[in-house]
Amino acid sequence: MINNRDREFKNNPGKRKTPQKSLFTRMSLSRNLILAYQSLGVVYGDLSTSPLYVYKSTFVGKLNEHQNPDAIFGAFSLIFWTLTLIPLLKYVLIVLSADDNGEGGTFALYSLLCRHAKFSLLPNQQAADEELTAYKYGPPGQNPSSSPLKRFLEKHRKSRIALLIVVLLGACMVIGDGVLTPVISVLSSVSGLEAANSNLTRGQVLVIACVVLVGLFALQHVGTHRLAFAFAPIVLIWLVSIFSIGLYNIIHWNPKIVSAISPHYIITFFKETGTEGWISLGGILLSITGTEAMFADLGHFTAMSIRLAFITVVYPCLIVQYMGQAAYLSKNVSSISNSFYDSIPDPIFWPVFIIATLAAIVASQAIITATFSIVKQCHALGCFPRIKVVHTSKHIFGQIYIPEINWILMILTLAVAVGFQDTTLIGNAYGLACMTVMFITTFLMALVIIFVWQRSIVLASAFLIFFWFIEGIYLSAAFIKIPQGGWISLLLSCIFLIVMFVWHYGTRRKYNFDLHNKVSLKWLLGLGPSLGIVRVPGIGLVYSELATGVPAIFSHFVTNLPAFHNVLVFVCVKSVPVPFVSPEERFLIGRICPRPYRMYRCIVRYGYKDIQRDDGNFEDLIIQSIAEFIQMEAVEPQLSSSENTSLDGRMAVISTRTAQSGSSLIVSAQESSGSSNSIKSSKSLTLQSLRSAYVDENPRSKTHQVRFQLPSTPGLNPSVGEELLDLIQAKEAGVAYIMGHSYVKARRSSSFLKKVVIDIGYSFLRKNCRGPSVALNIPHISLIEVGMIYYV
């Protein structure tokens, strides 16, 4: 929930005057307090509902033979130190400091690494991307390191592929959490009905849980902001309730439980239980499930607000609650199977049950929100098929809703609930998924310490060994339980991993085909300014994924179409490894071929958290940006070389604010239907009637239209004036969007596996995801598509 003003202040703190600093500090503190309150409803729901099932999941199997006060004291000591070392020490104090311009999650760490080393597998990086404000990380003047480890990873392609697979696995495990968290949270909460009312069967309780789950997913379209305000009071009341119950149980049942904070009880626990105690760690680790949401949901809040909420509210409430349950169980060992609800005093049972059910719904919200964020990042970095992303807030960044993912999660969640019905089995899968994500985050953090923070390998190794030792013990215990339900998290992760890797592989192969089959610019120069065909009035926006050169599909157009537009703009919409790209830096404009050809390149850059909104003025922004570039090129000749050698000149960043100021063109605005300018100037009566019918059928196409005029600037270079006039006339004649309808197939000489991946997997995903024209908000009435087969 960081607005542009806060980002600007973060990047340029010197812009504000000293008298305003105290005011800004007070505003920042109050804002962080508000965000800390809201984070309770989005981030901490999952973590705060763990007391519902931790002790029950710990004392199962052969550990039933060790249900005694000493073992319970040892279990609490394990819970206390697990909560202290991983959520508090690792995440709150260390990992939250590795944010990518306010964004967190597995892909945020990967994006940081790709900016500081050549780890990305998609070769569309440009030197101009490194000039982005958000690209820089750390203090000014920081030079990138050149360690042997960095050179090794950059040199060996297999190591970069392995790194990508590790990152994708972490992302898939978070998506798996999005399936398992709602099930275990809701089932654990409504199980109180079965305990309180013996007339209810397990099947009836399951039906109630399924109804609650359907209602939860149906609410997601409302948006995180509204849900946060609605859910935060519930979690706060829940935390206060479990804190009060825990404190009561400590005082009433066994105040000596306080001494169990000592690690001595952990040693005693393992001496007594042996192998069974190690296996029981699969239940203990459920006390920290939901911890990854603190980092994954960072983009919705701030690091300070998440730290405040955890240190001052969440951590003490959880410790006291677990301590209270242990105090109760030390005197009532037979209640372990239903420890939470049995430890509640009878007079307040039903109020706490209602709050627990509501808190379980909130717990599911935390991981669903994180899943949306992870999928959006995967999509932006070319690792997930094109999907519809809805920005649920006009003022707050990072708050999104993905309908397809929401309903897929709901179906999978209901399937797991009906298929398993046992929270112990689901907990085994849940714990394995959560601990795998934490294990991967530790590995990526060690790389960030070396390559991004530029600290010594010794420090990174100490961090890695310390936390991998702790997490490795828990992960090994979770792997033991793969036959007892843990397999479901592996299955879900493998399915999503295959989808992501197949899409990324197919996208990369298609890009490499374009890269190695670019149209020769010398061939274009040989054709002359007319390109050997008729140049007709209008602007042709040729969409391509290539950031340099002319794609092979253009020659396909030239050989199949007898005419082309007077002005050609090769548009490339690409994602860069930064969370946000400011509007001032979004457009990168350049020239292809000498001035008489009227061929330009426009690269539109988005960050992995940016939303490509349909503002309706994309054409106008491109025209203004090109006009600004033409004017700038005349003043700064270094942007292009001589007319004879300018094949694919340098690119220039054009600020949309500067372009909209009308420094190169006079802009007049009017309210009219979406295609009125094109209709008035069109030479074809058929096209006029078609567009008029389109406007009548699509009332939303009525937008704020602009007309351009050439300014009467004295001393304007005649060639510049002529080029600007051609641009204006072409815009008045109409704009066409030109896109290739590509079919990707494997070569006949390809291996069987590659044919399966490309011809079956990638083709299936392309046919069943959103089309590129829909994803880019291209109006169908102005779209021209030409089919082309890519043999990769």
Side-chain angles (χ1 to χ4, degrees), residues 538-544 557 561 564-565 567-569 571 573 604 614-623 674-675 678 691 694 705 731 734-741 772-774 776-786:
I539 295 179
L541 299 181
V542 184
Y543 278 79
S544 166
F557 283 133
L561 297 177
F564 237 105
H565 301 83
V567 176
L568 290 176
V569 183
V571 181
V573 179
V604 189
D614 184 12
D615 296 328
N617 61 345
F618 181 71
E619 298 174 4
D620 301 329
L621 288 176
I622 285 186
I623 301 304
S675 301
S678 300
R691 287 183 172 171
Y694 175 78
Q705 294 295 316
K731 173 64 170 67
V735 177
Y737 294 82
I738 304 164
M739 178 174 289
H741 190 80
S773 60
V774 177
L776 294 170
N777 300 311
I778 295 176
H780 289 285
I781 191 65
S782 303
L783 178 63
I784 301 172
E785 288 186 300
V786 175

Side-chain angles (χ1 to χ4, degrees), residues 458-500:
V458 175
L459 181 63
S461 301
F463 171 85
L464 184 68
I465 293 171
F466 178 75
F467 286 107
W468 260 14
F469 175 76
I470 298 172
E471 293 165 353
I473 294 174
Y474 282 107
L475 190 61
S476 62
F479 268 111
I480 292 296
K481 297 188 177 181
I482 287 179
Q484 290 82 40
W487 60 269
I488 188 63
S489 63
L490 293 180
L491 178 63
L492 290 172
S493 299
C494 285
I495 292 172
F496 283 108
L497 180 62
I498 290 171
V499 169
M500 289 184 182

Side-chain angles (χ1 to χ4, degrees), residues 412-716:
L412 292 175
T413 297
L414 293 175
V416 172
V418 174
F420 283 85
Q421 302 183 18
D422 187 354
T423 55
T424 301
L425 295 177
I426 299 171
N428 294 338
Y430 186 31
L432 176 61
C434 291
M435 191 50 65
T436 303
V437 175
M438 294 179 188
F439 201 75
I440 291 172
T441 300
T442 301
F443 170 69
L444 295 177
M445 268 301 304
L447 295 180
V448 167
I449 291 173
I450 298 172
F451 299 128
V452 181
W453 292 356
Q454 297 185 17
R455 302 296 177 86
S456 67
I457 295 181
V458 175
L459 181 63
S461 301
F463 171 85
L464 184 68
I465 293 171
F466 178 75
F467 286 107
W468 260 14
F469 175 76
I470 298 172
E471 293 165 353
I473 294 174
Y474 282 107
L475 190 61
S476 62
F479 268 111
I480 292 296
K481 297 188 177 181
I482 287 179
Q484 290 82 40
W487 60 269
I488 188 63
S489 63
L490 293 180
L491 178 63
L492 290 172
S493 299
C494 285
I495 292 172
F496 283 108
L497 180 62
I498 290 171
V499 169
M500 289 184 182
F501 190 77
V502 166
W503 182 262
H504 185 270
Y505 178 78
T507 302
R508 182 159 45 89
R509 299 300 300 180
K510 182 177 179 292
Y511 188 90
N512 286 331
F513 178 90
D514 270 334
L515 198 63
H516 292 100
N517 293 274
K518 293 188 293 187
V519 176
S520 170
L521 290 175
K522 291 184 179 180
W523 176 72
L524 288 177
L525 290 174
L527 294 176
S530 68
L531 297 178
I533 55 177
V534 179
R535 301 293 290 267
V536 297
I539 295 179
L541 299 181
V542 184
Y543 278 79
S544 166
E545 295 177 0
L546 275 185
T548 58
V550 177
I553 203 164
F554 179 70
S555 63
H556 205 58
F557 283 133
V558 171
T559 55
N560 284 276
L561 297 177
F564 237 105
H565 301 83
N566 273 338
V567 176
L568 290 176
V569 183
F570 290 86
V571 181
C572 171
V573 179
K574 75 169 190 174
S575 294
V576 288
V578 298
F580 297 96
V581 176
S582 64
E584 293 81 6
E585 300 175 308
R586 192 171 306 285
F587 286 94
L588 202 58
I589 305 294
R591 185 188 297 280
I592 300 176
C593 296
R595 192 187 300 271
Y597 284 71
R598 303 295 191 257
M599 294 172 65
Y600 309 94
R601 183 186 309 286
C602 175
I603 298 177
V604 189
R605 301 178 292 184
Y606 289 95
Y608 59 79
K609 296 287 284 186
D610 275 323
I611 303 295
Q612 300 180 22
R613 300 188 184 185
D614 184 12
D615 296 328
N617 61 345
F618 181 71
E619 298 174 4
D620 301 329
L621 288 176
I622 285 186
I623 301 304
Q624 291 171 309
S625 299
I626 292 175
E628 189 69 25
F629 170 79
I630 294 171
Q631 194 92 323
M632 184 187 300
E633 188 184 40
V635 178
E636 303 177 20
Q638 67 271 18
L639 284 178
S640 64
S641 54
S642 66
E643 289 289 315
N644 295 327
T645 59
S646 179
L647 302 180
D648 200 349
R650 288 183 56 189
M651 309 288 289
V653 178
I654 305 297
S655 170
T656 53
R657 290 183 181 177
T658 304
Q660 286 177 316
S661 66
S663 59
S664 299
L665 299 177
I666 297 175
V667 181
S668 59
Q670 59 182 5
E671 194 75 26
S672 61
S673 53
S675 301
S676 61
N677 288 345
S678 300
I679 294 169
K680 289 178 182 178
S681 59
S682 176
K683 305 293 183 184
S684 170
L685 294 175
T686 305
L687 185 58
Q688 289 182 25
S689 61
L690 284 173
R691 287 183 172 171
S692 298
Y694 175 78
V695 171
D696 293 338
E697 294 176 1
N698 298 271
R700 292 184 181 179
S701 64
K702 295 183 178 181
T703 56
H704 198 61
Q705 294 295 316
V706 298
R707 294 180 66 87
F708 300 103
Q709 296 178 4
L710 195 64
S712 55
T713 306
L716 183 66

